[in-house]
Amino acid sequence: MVKLLSDAIASVITAFDHTMDTVLDFQTEEYQCLPAGLTLIEGIGRQLVGKVPTPVIVEADTAAQRDIDTASALMRGMGLDEGDMIENPCIFDPTFAGEGCGFCEELDVGSQKAAVEERWNSFPMSEKVVDLIDEFQARLGVGEAPPFGEIEDNVDSGSGYYSGGTSVASQIIEYILMEMGGNTTSWGWGQFSRDDVYRFLEAHIYYREVQDRALPLNLRSHSYMSSEILATLGSGVEGTRVLVGHDSELDALASIFGLEWSTPPFPRNATTPGSGIRFDVNGEGEVSVSLHYQAFDGTDDVLFADAAFTWSGGREAVGIEELKEYLGGKLSDECMP
Ligand SMILES: *[C@@H]1O[C@H](CO)[C@@H](O)[C@H](O)[C@H]1NC(C)=O
Ligand SMILES: *[C@@H]1O[C@H](CO)[C@@H](O)[C@H](O)[C@H]1NC(C)=O
């Protein structure tokens, strides 16, 4: 029996970047949701009714308007009163200085750079991704800028971010995914089929796996959320706790809880707009994790996939005590209230 769940819905389809505005016109304000993205989220809400234990509580990263809009759309779909949305920006970013958060400071840029570099070294790019980026470049054609493969990858000392050709390719692929999810009739300058977009997404996922899954950074930003998830699962209270945040939530939780997944038609470990990660505990105290997502195929159908715990031989359910033991020494209580 499913008893509880905590669910982070990734950032919805957002029009994301400054530099691309001249190239791709999302006809919406920067960093805000596309209208079709919100329609899709409402569809998720509708389809989750009856599939999640009640009562349902929705908490959002109210520091970002796109998360408020996402949570509202979800609540509308679920038939909940939007006025009942709980403002909880601190659980998404305990280093955020406003709204009574700021339980710890962000790591300095040097430490961030070292963590991302370490992650990059231990998770090198596969030949397959190298080839994909080359193919993506070939499909885009030759422009004034050098090809992605000739812009050297590095971890930037000013920002601590994984930068260079892979980063640029990753961002452009993400915009094209957003265009497709945004229900436009033509995406990526009309040059890419849906299957192309699914396939090229692997390069974007690789970028995120380096930049957004460096464990020391994840523990700093998401120990608090992880311990709240454990506490919610262990509370014995029936119901559903929904956290509406960003794709970085899914990456951080995958990193901390040691999870992998496959959400076809997307490549492995995708954290696509509107998708959510769900933690359930059953009456025997076994925890299982699943993803729900949409394929941006013109329908709003919600798809489900089980995640596996990599550290337990790929099992799809582990005991809550076992999970607590796995996380026990890792979580940093420095970044909790
Ligand atoms: C996408 O566009 C189609 C055709 O115009 C329309 O029927 C559908 O409702 C749209 N979906 C969303 C999520 O806006
Ligand atoms: C998916 O994530 C798991 C866990 O981090 C990792 O072991 C695996 O290599 C990843 N797969 C791909 C294709 O990136």
Side-chain angles (χ1 to χ4, degrees), residues 65-83:
Q65 183 62 41
R66 64 184 183 281
D67 294 345
I68 298 174
D69 296 343
T70 302
S72 297
L74 185 78
M75 293 177 91
R76 275 198 304 279
M78 295 187 91
L80 300 172
D81 182 350
E82 291 163 51

Side-chain angles (χ1 to χ4, degrees), residues 50-51 86 143 146 152 162 172 178 185 201 210 232 241 271 274 281 290 301 310-311 334:
K51 292 204 174 72
I86 295 174
E152 207 181 327
Y162 180 28
I172 297 176
M178 288 177 182
T185 49
L201 193 66
V210 173
T232 306
R241 185 174 177 190
T271 55
V281 65
S290 57
D301 295 352
T310 52
W311 48 272
E334 198 186 335

Side-chain angles (χ1 to χ4, degrees), residues 32-48:
Q32 304 309 324
C33 296
L34 299 178
L38 292 175
T39 306
L40 286 176
I41 297 294
E42 210 174 311
I44 296 175
R46 241 182 351 259
Q47 292 169 71
L48 286 184

Side-chain angles (χ1 to χ4, degrees), residues 123 209 213 259-260 268-269 310:
F123 199 76
E209 286 196 315
R213 295 192 180 192
L259 296 165
E260 67 178 320
R268 293 187 74 80
N269 299 336
T310 52

Side-chain angles (χ1 to χ4, degrees), residues 57 313 325:
I57 297 167
E325 199 173 311

Side-chain angles (χ1 to χ4, degrees), residues 7 29 37 55 193 337:
D7 190 354
E29 275 182 63
S193 68

